[in-house]
Amino acid sequence: MELPSESDMGNFAGSHRQEIKLGYNSKSTKIMTGILHAPLLMMTTITVALNLSLSPMLVHTLQNNTEKFSVQKIGAPEALRYAVRKYNENSDELYLDVVVQEKDIKVQHEAAGTKYLFHVILGQSICWNLEPFLRSCPLKDPLQRKTCHFEVYVEQLKNQMSLTSSKCNNM
């Protein structure tokens, strides 16, 4: 088998260069392409702007801001129960503390999960701290209360909760 000579290679490369040049010589093709892409870009921009203006939740998610909401929002009741249960487990008090009032609840959406921020009022119940958490534990002393701030992080992919911050002060 014989290899092509340098002159043959030059002619081959030159002929292909000619074909490539012919494909890009058309100025009207470039102009038409630009004209067709401009309306598509404008429609996409308008669609995104309308979606952001109509969906405040999407704006909060994109800006990574916190959002106020009620405890009935999906995921919040479980996160609050988890926070209070962990607080009681780590407490050296004889009686369980229970939520008396929800003052402020916020959610912050992050890339890997959701952070819940709770500001609640706890009261001491008549239930022993050693007992499993019961749904109805009446208050021992309605005037003895504490204000608490809990931060719960929920990892969606791992389906795990963790109490990242817990601070309580007597009122």
Side-chain angles (χ1 to χ4, degrees), residues 120-159:
V120 295
I121 305 295
L122 296 183
Q124 196 174 58
S125 72
I126 61 170
C127 298
W128 292 98
N129 199 0
L130 301 174
E131 297 174 21
F133 185 73
L134 305 172
R135 288 215 175 248
S136 60
C137 287
L139 291 178
K140 184 177 176 186
D141 181 2
L143 299 177
Q144 187 179 359
R145 298 198 177 177
K146 54 180 94 167
T147 180
C148 296
H149 294 273
F150 298 122
E151 190 174 292
V152 177
Y153 187 72
V154 179
E155 288 183 76
Q156 269 78 20
L157 295 176
K158 294 181 181 179
N159 200 20

Side-chain angles (χ1 to χ4, degrees), residues 29-74:
T29 304
K30 290 180 184 177
I31 293 170
M32 286 299 291
T33 304
I35 290 173
L36 293 176
H37 283 105
L40 182 60
L41 178 62
M42 186 184 313
M43 286 176 52
T44 304
T45 305
I46 291 171
T47 303
V48 169
L50 282 173
N51 281 335
L52 289 176
S53 68
L54 295 176
S55 176
M57 183 63 181
L58 182 59
V59 172
H60 286 300
T61 302
L62 291 176
Q63 294 176 346
N64 205 16
N65 285 340
T66 57
E67 170 193 2
K68 281 187 166 185
F69 65 96
S70 79
V71 76
Q72 302 309 318
K73 184 142 181 168
I74 295 173

Side-chain angles (χ1 to χ4, degrees), residues 68-143:
K68 281 187 166 185
F69 65 96
S70 79
V71 76
Q72 302 309 318
K73 184 142 181 168
I74 295 173
E78 296 84 7
L80 181 56
R81 278 194 301 273
Y82 176 83
V84 174
R85 183 172 48 97
K86 286 296 181 185
Y87 174 77
N88 281 319
E89 285 175 7
N90 295 326
S91 171
D92 57 354
E93 294 182 23
L94 293 175
Y95 299 98
L96 284 175
D97 286 320
V98 294
V99 176
V100 175
Q101 182 182 4
E102 296 126 9
K103 298 291 274 180
D104 189 30
I105 301 169
K106 296 178 184 174
V107 64
Q108 183 175 0
H109 301 283
E110 297 180 355
T114 305
K115 186 186 296 184
Y116 294 94
L117 307 164
F118 299 103
H119 176 203
V120 295
I121 305 295
L122 296 183
Q124 196 174 58
S125 72
I126 61 170
C127 298
W128 292 98
N129 199 0
L130 301 174
E131 297 174 21
F133 185 73
L134 305 172
R135 288 215 175 248
S136 60
C137 287
L139 291 178
K140 184 177 176 186
D141 181 2
L143 299 177

